[in-house]
Amino acid sequence: LSILTSTYPDLSVRGFIGKTLEYALFFVLAADAVQAPGVAARGVRLLLLSAALVCGDAIAQERIGRELVYGRTTWLTYRRMTGPYENPTDLATYLIVVIPALFLYAMTRPRVRRWGLFGLVTLLLACLGRAESMGAWLGLGFGCLVLWPERGAVRRVGSGLLIALIISGASLALRTTA
């Protein structure tokens, strides 16, 4: 849908192919890595750290006018949150991959830790809203629907993210019409 409505369809097709190949390779690497003991736990810690850093950079970008990591002001070009990425769509792509994983991880933690993780996921959803990428919202929504038929914690993740998605999407729609 994005390719069909794109102003630059060649760029969109190249991006689609590149991202598809990147995620296929990422899946193979992740599937191989988790076979080693302790890798999954370290991977989750790194995912939490990277999500916190991306979120902090994106929020700082809007609050102080430049990125913390590179000091760039590329967000001025787009007037949308870009975080440490070159454009808002790249930030949104990162977020729609990280949000479900961290939400699922939060669902498996004890109550005290769970609320801190839910806070991070909420900030990530806010960053996704500020990236203003409709394709990312659609992708996250479809991802939640894919989780729906599953059982147990996975179904709760799909339900929780779907509720958060509806609330966030409604607030984004209200903000753009106001």
Side-chain angles (χ1 to χ4, degrees):
L1 185 62
S2 177
I3 293 169
L4 295 175
T5 60
S6 176
T7 310
Y8 303 100
D10 293 344
L11 183 62
S12 296
V13 168
R14 279 188 280 135
F16 174 74
I17 292 169
K19 289 291 182 198
T20 301
L21 293 175
E22 284 175 21
Y23 285 123
L25 179 61
F26 176 70
F27 178 77
V28 169
L29 291 171
D32 184 52
V34 297
Q35 299 302 316
V39 171
R42 287 192 306 270
V44 170
R45 286 193 298 270
L46 286 172
L47 186 64
L48 283 167
L49 178 63
S50 74
L53 290 173
V54 166
C55 186
D57 191 64
I59 291 170
Q61 170 194 85
E62 291 208 338
R63 296 295 171 221
I64 63 174
R66 70 179 49 250
E67 297 173 5
L68 291 177
V69 177
Y70 300 111
R72 297 180 301 191
T73 56
T74 54
W75 67 276
L76 289 171
T77 306
Y78 297 101
R79 295 286 181 212
R80 295 168 26 200
M81 187 178 276
T82 61
Y85 297 96
E86 290 184 15
N87 61 60
T89 304
D90 288 344
L91 173 65
T93 301
Y94 169 80
L95 292 172
I96 66 171
V97 171
V98 169
I99 289 170
L102 292 181
F103 196 89
L104 181 59
Y105 180 69
M107 295 293 289
T108 64
R109 300 294 95 197
R111 273 194 198 272
V112 175
R113 289 175 136 184
R114 185 180 301 178
W115 292 109
L117 292 168
F118 283 152
L120 177 60
V121 170
T122 302
L123 286 173
L124 294 172
L125 280 167
C127 290
L128 181 60
R130 289 294 300 131
E132 298 177 22
S133 176
M134 189 55 68
W137 284 106
L138 291 172
L140 185 58
F142 283 120
C144 292
L145 290 175
V146 167
L147 295 175
W148 185 258
E150 297 297 326
R151 294 188 174 141
V154 176
R155 185 173 189 144
R156 288 193 304 271
V157 168
S159 302
L161 278 176
L162 203 51
I163 291 167
L165 189 64
I166 291 167
I167 293 169
S168 300
S171 66
L172 179 63
L174 290 174
R175 189 179 72 74
T176 56
T177 58

